[in-house]
Amino acid sequence: MASQQSQQQTDEQVNDGFVVDTENCEERELAYRERGTSRPITVVGNPVLHKECKDVTEFGDELASLIDDMFASQRTAEGVGLAANQIGVDLKVFVYDCPDDDGVRHTGVVCNPVLEELAPELRNLDDSNEGCLSVPTAYASLARPDYAVVRGQDAQGNPIKVRGTGYFARCLQHETDHLYGYLYIDRLSKRDRKDALKQMAEGTPRYEVVAND
């Protein structure tokens, strides 16, 4: 996910069944990206972005290396979240380094994410601007719940559960969408989608992208 600011996982502690992803964020993010290599970002129209990705089934060195590259790529593009298909890899994994609305930083990895269905009383919609590294330079208002819970696995294959509020909740939903073949512009009205694509066509990405042949 694009930042609105143009802004080796350690063993995770768990609180009430949820991953604690707010500790040592700077050190963990730095360790990932120093091991990784930044890759160019795929953009809307690239086939890998428009289909459901494959489940992660192997939790070894190859996955760890991919995660390192994803953190490096995310930092280069100044994003707050990145899905594997955004660097051309057909696997259900995303990384994040994202603040919530209270300014608390969250950093982590989720493989094979599934968004939990929220009870009606928890579905408070937040109609804020949203952007995407795969739709560079474009932003649009999109209503999403301001609370989200994602279940999945960590880089070692252990079951995890991540929750977020505000901007971080939006990030969790946005990145999970990616891995099932949806970009945020797919949730817009036809008019707003057309406007976002126009913004993209008129803008210049600040990071390297993969050209759609």
Side-chain angles (χ1 to χ4, degrees):
M1 191 167 88
S3 168
Q4 293 178 330
Q5 309 291 331
S6 260
Q7 37 168 5
Q8 177 106 18
Q9 191 169 14
T10 58
D11 291 337
E12 296 282 13
Q13 293 178 294
V14 177
N15 180 25
D16 296 331
F18 289 96
V19 165
V20 176
D21 55 8
T22 56
E23 296 181 351
N24 304 314
C25 289
E26 185 170 354
E27 295 87 346
R28 290 190 289 116
E29 190 273 341
L30 178 61
Y32 280 123
R33 62 183 168 88
E34 284 191 333
R35 291 190 301 266
T37 300
S38 182
R39 306 192 199 178
I41 304 296
T42 55
V43 296
V44 57
N46 189 303
V48 75
L49 293 173
H50 302 283
K51 64 175 184 176
E52 181 175 344
C53 293
K54 297 175 182 175
D55 289 345
V56 177
T57 57
E58 299 291 332
F59 297 85
D61 292 344
E62 189 172 340
L63 176 63
S65 180
L66 170 63
I67 290 168
D68 291 341
D69 286 357
M70 290 173 68
F71 271 102
S73 304
Q74 175 178 257
R75 174 54 69 97
T76 297
E78 300 179 40
V80 296
L82 188 77
N85 54 356
Q86 290 185 274
I87 57 169
V89 179
D90 182 14
L91 281 177
K92 283 181 183 167
V93 53
F94 72 79
V95 304
Y96 60 88
D97 185 25
C98 182
D100 59 28
D101 282 359
D102 295 322
V104 177
R105 183 175 178 179
H106 300 259
T107 303
V109 178
V110 184
C111 301
N112 304 323
V114 176
L115 275 169
E116 281 196 356
E117 189 72 29
L118 295 178
E121 61 270 20
L122 295 177
R123 288 187 58 82
N124 300 309
L125 295 182
D126 171 30
D127 194 13
S128 294
N129 255 12
E130 189 161 327
C132 179
L133 299 179
S134 292
V135 193
T137 73
Y139 291 88
S141 179
L142 177 63
R144 289 191 190 266
D146 64 0
Y147 177 75
V149 175
V150 171
R151 294 180 180 271
Q153 293 166 280
D154 65 15
Q156 291 75 42
N158 303 306
I160 57 171
K161 191 165 58 169
V162 182
R163 61 182 167 189
T165 59
Y167 187 46
F168 182 43
R170 181 175 295 274
C171 177
L172 293 174
Q173 295 168 82
H174 179 110
E175 301 308 332
T176 300
D177 270 357
H178 266 304
L179 300 176
Y180 290 87
Y182 296 99
L183 283 76
Y184 85 98
I185 60 171
D186 296 328
R187 297 190 178 277
L188 300 176
S189 68
K190 289 184 178 179
R191 179 179 178 178
D192 288 346
R193 188 180 194 277
K194 183 178 179 180
D195 180 66
L197 291 174
K198 181 181 178 183
Q199 291 179 53
M200 175 181 162
E202 294 175 347
T204 301
R206 62 183 182 274
Y207 44 84
E208 184 181 2
V209 300
V210 179
N212 293 330
D213 297 326

